[in-house]
Amino acid sequence: AAPSRSFLQVAATEEAVAPPLRVVQIEGLVVLKIIKHCTEFSPALVTGQLLGLDVGSVLEVTNCFPFPIREEDEEIEAEGANYQLEMMRCLREVNVDNNTVGWYQSTLLGSFQTVELIETFMNYQENIRRCVCIIYDPSKSNQGVLALKALKLSDSFMELYRNNEFNGEKLREKNLTWVDIFEEIPIKVSNSALVSAFMTELEADSPVTQSDYDRLQLSSIPVMERNMEFLIECMDDLSMEQQKFQFYYRNLSRQQAQQQTWLQKRRAENMARKAAGEDPLPEEDPSNPIFKPLPEPSRLDSFLITNQVSNYCNQINSVAGQSFSRLYLMKALHEN
């Protein structure tokens, strides 16, 4: 007969072989809370806590609450942490899910891929096995699109980040590129049967909703202008990062040339010493500054900026394509 195992042994085994995260299931009420909080304070950026359950390959988000507006004062930061703990205690007292599964934050035209986001992920990851960040963009939602996405860091990226190994050799070894930093998880909005029935009752008789009208707005110039401005800023930042690497490789080639010159002199000196019957000197001198390895700049910033450039290009492509479709539609209607 198979030996019986305790509950803790079974739980530990289940945790060790946890399936990969496939979908983030969000309650409709949570989506409405996130939209309300982010829209009220737009264009200021806000954040909040996500609560729920981690069930197999599904991360269920059943509740959330907003964080106070952050300020740099340490006392106010401490008050924010106390507020978070107090909120979770109150939720536990009224029997509401109070397990942290991540956080949400607002963004402006998709400009969220920053070092601060990665650091927040790593802080959460120390205490939570799996967590996600829900990104909501109020500016895109004004165009009739629910701009909601769930992100997590890839495992290979987290390993490199923990070891602070963002040099070219380690990146090639792990085959990690700028597209491998974040993983987008599909979102599924879930409602109870009662809520679905109630929403059906609230539906208007008209087949056209406000979102449909928003999608038909012909003017997309403001959105295109903002995306182009952000894209130009990112290209300037990327150019500065490339200059850092050019400076590093220039210094590296200069150092290698100095090492070769020193080595040739040392070999000539050793040949003379050998002819004189003296012991040769070592061909490496660790105390010499030219043999000190130069620190390679981190490639993290350039990877994040490249991610942002790709994001802005995709948004410009999407907005321009939709604008052309609407213009051709209006042209056909006028001709008819």
Side-chain angles (χ1 to χ4, degrees):
S4 60
R5 295 191 298 168
S6 68
F7 173 77
L8 290 176
Q9 289 174 328
V10 174
T13 305
E14 289 292 325
E15 185 172 349
V17 294
L21 185 59
R22 301 293 184 194
V23 65
V24 177
Q25 182 175 302
I26 308 180
E27 295 285 338
L29 179 61
V30 177
V31 176
L32 291 177
K33 283 183 176 181
I34 293 174
I35 292 174
K36 182 175 183 291
H37 183 211
C38 296
T39 306
E40 280 181 352
F41 289 90
S42 181
L45 304 182
V46 295
T47 61
Q49 190 83 64
L50 297 176
L51 308 171
L53 295 170
D54 183 1
V55 184
S57 60
V58 180
L59 193 68
E60 297 182 6
V61 182
T62 56
N63 207 341
C64 69
F65 62 85
F67 289 155
I69 298 293
R70 289 183 179 178
E71 295 187 32
E72 296 300 324
D73 193 344
E74 291 184 3
E75 292 184 3
I76 296 177
E77 284 187 4
E79 288 178 8
N82 293 334
Y83 165 82
Q84 180 181 348
L85 294 172
E86 184 66 20
M87 278 292 295
M88 295 179 72
R89 186 186 64 79
C90 293
L91 290 170
R92 184 168 59 248
E93 287 180 355
V94 295
N95 202 25
V96 174
D97 285 338
N98 66 323
N99 300 312
T100 302
V101 293
W103 80 101
Y104 70 84
Q105 68 180 55
S106 59
T107 185
L108 181 62
L109 293 177
S111 54
F112 57 86
Q113 294 164 340
T114 60
V115 176
E116 288 76 16
L117 178 67
I118 292 174
E119 289 175 349
T120 308
F121 257 119
M122 299 305 293
N123 291 334
Y124 271 86
Q125 207 75 33
E126 289 178 1
N127 304 311
I128 306 171
R129 187 174 52 133
R130 287 198 297 202
C131 69
V132 296
C133 176
I134 303 294
I135 306 287
Y136 177 71
D137 192 341
S139 59
K140 286 185 69 176
S141 295
N142 292 336
Q143 305 164 36
V145 180
L146 181 59
L148 203 68
K149 61 172 64 178
L151 298 176
K152 68 182 285 290
L153 293 179
S154 67
D155 295 334
S156 55
F157 174 82
M158 283 194 291
E159 183 181 347
L160 283 180
Y161 190 84
R162 285 194 188 98
N163 300 327
N164 196 21
E165 296 175 335
F166 274 97
N167 53 51
E169 181 185 350
K170 289 294 181 181
L171 292 172
R172 285 190 295 271
E173 182 183 315
K174 295 288 184 180
N175 197 23
L176 189 78
T177 62
W178 59 270
V179 296
D180 301 319
I181 297 179
F182 297 102
E183 293 179 11
E184 185 171 350
I185 311 297
I187 290 179
K188 177 184 176 185
V189 180
S190 171
N191 286 310
S192 66
L194 284 174
V195 171
S196 300
F198 180 64
M199 293 300 295
T200 305
E201 289 290 324
L202 291 179
E203 278 184 4
D205 296 333
S206 171
V208 182
T209 63
Q210 183 60 43
S211 295
D212 297 321
Y213 288 120
D214 291 339
R215 292 191 196 99
L216 290 174
Q217 287 182 2
L218 294 179
S219 175
S220 59
I221 294 175
V223 180
M224 291 286 285
E225 284 181 348
R226 295 298 297 277
N227 271 297
M228 288 300 296
E229 288 173 5
F230 288 162
L231 180 59
I232 291 169
E233 289 178 9
C234 281
M235 292 306 296
D236 289 339
D237 293 340
L238 189 60
S239 176
M240 291 177 64
E241 287 296 317
Q242 289 176 339
Q243 287 175 12
K244 288 182 187 177
F245 283 100
Q246 289 171 358
F247 182 72
Y248 163 74
Y249 284 116
R250 199 159 47 239
N251 287 341
L252 185 63
S253 61
R254 187 184 301 121
Q255 185 190 56
Q256 289 171 347
Q258 290 174 346
Q259 290 174 354
Q260 287 299 320
T261 304
W262 185 90
L263 192 59
Q264 288 171 3
K265 287 182 180 178
R266 177 56 60 93
R267 283 174 179 169
E269 185 181 350
N270 281 339
M271 288 176 68
R273 290 175 67 90
K274 190 175 182 182
E278 298 177 1
D279 293 334
L281 297 171
E283 293 191 351
E284 285 189 7
D285 185 6
S287 62
N288 196 323
I290 63 172
F291 286 101
K292 185 179 180 182
L294 296 175
E296 183 178 343
S298 172
R299 297 176 185 261
L300 177 59
D301 288 336
S302 60
F303 273 27
L304 291 173
I305 296 169
T306 308
N307 258 308
Q308 282 296 132
V309 169
S310 174
N311 186 36
Y312 292 137
C313 289
N314 290 335
Q315 288 182 166
I316 290 170
N317 188 32
S318 173
V319 172
Q322 292 170 6
S323 296
F324 276 122
S325 299
R326 290 193 289 266
L327 290 171
Y328 278 120
L329 173 63
M330 291 305 297
K331 179 183 177 183
L333 288 174
H334 281 299
E335 288 176 351
N336 292 333

